[in-house]
Amino acid sequence: MSTCTLGDRHCQACEGGIAPLSAAAVRDQLANLPGWEVDGNGIGKTFVFANHYQALAFVNALAWISHREDHHPETRVGYREVRVHYSTHAIDGLSDNDLICAAKVEKLMNL
């Protein structure tokens, strides 16, 4: 699965009942998502911007992705930094949804 393929997919509702992705599957996908790393039971990345305005503009774009995909990250906002963390709480781990959203964020950053 390439980043392009991931970024073109859409999240599927997850109410539990499936196993989290294996560590090997996550490692393979993270190779296509520069800067993303395993972070607890999820994946995360810190984005650094020139100023607070750009950081908040990114957060607004992130909210648009979250709304469209109905999959929401934990987000920590600082003056110029935004930390994004994805995990699927229903399975206490990572699902395809987390990787799909991370790929969509990467596509956003490469516009």
Side-chain angles (χ1 to χ4, degrees):
M1 203 178 326
S2 73
T3 302
C4 180
T5 302
L6 274 174
D8 292 338
R9 292 178 50 200
H10 292 283
C11 294
Q12 303 297 315
C14 178
E15 300 299 327
I18 63 168
L21 294 173
S22 70
V26 172
R27 254 191 327 273
D28 287 347
Q29 291 306 315
L30 289 184
N32 298 316
L33 297 168
W36 289 86
E37 59 193 6
V38 174
D39 180 9
N41 67 343
I43 56 172
K45 181 175 179 177
T46 300
F47 295 87
V48 180
F49 299 92
N51 54 52
H52 190 63
Y53 174 79
Q54 288 180 3
L56 290 180
F58 170 75
V59 170
N60 284 328
L62 182 63
W64 180 80
I65 291 170
S66 301
H67 177 71
R68 283 192 47 130
E69 296 302 322
D70 197 23
H71 192 67
H72 307 85
E74 293 178 18
T75 309
R76 189 174 60 233
V77 180
Y79 173 68
R80 295 179 348 148
E81 295 183 354
V82 178
R83 178 72 179 175
V84 179
H85 177 267
Y86 283 106
S87 67
T88 302
H89 299 286
I91 61 171
D92 195 31
L94 286 165
S95 72
D96 284 341
N97 292 346
D98 303 304
L99 296 166
I100 289 167
C101 286
K104 288 183 180 297
V105 172
E106 287 303 308
K107 284 178 72 171
L108 170 70
M109 295 304 295
N110 292 309
L111 290 177

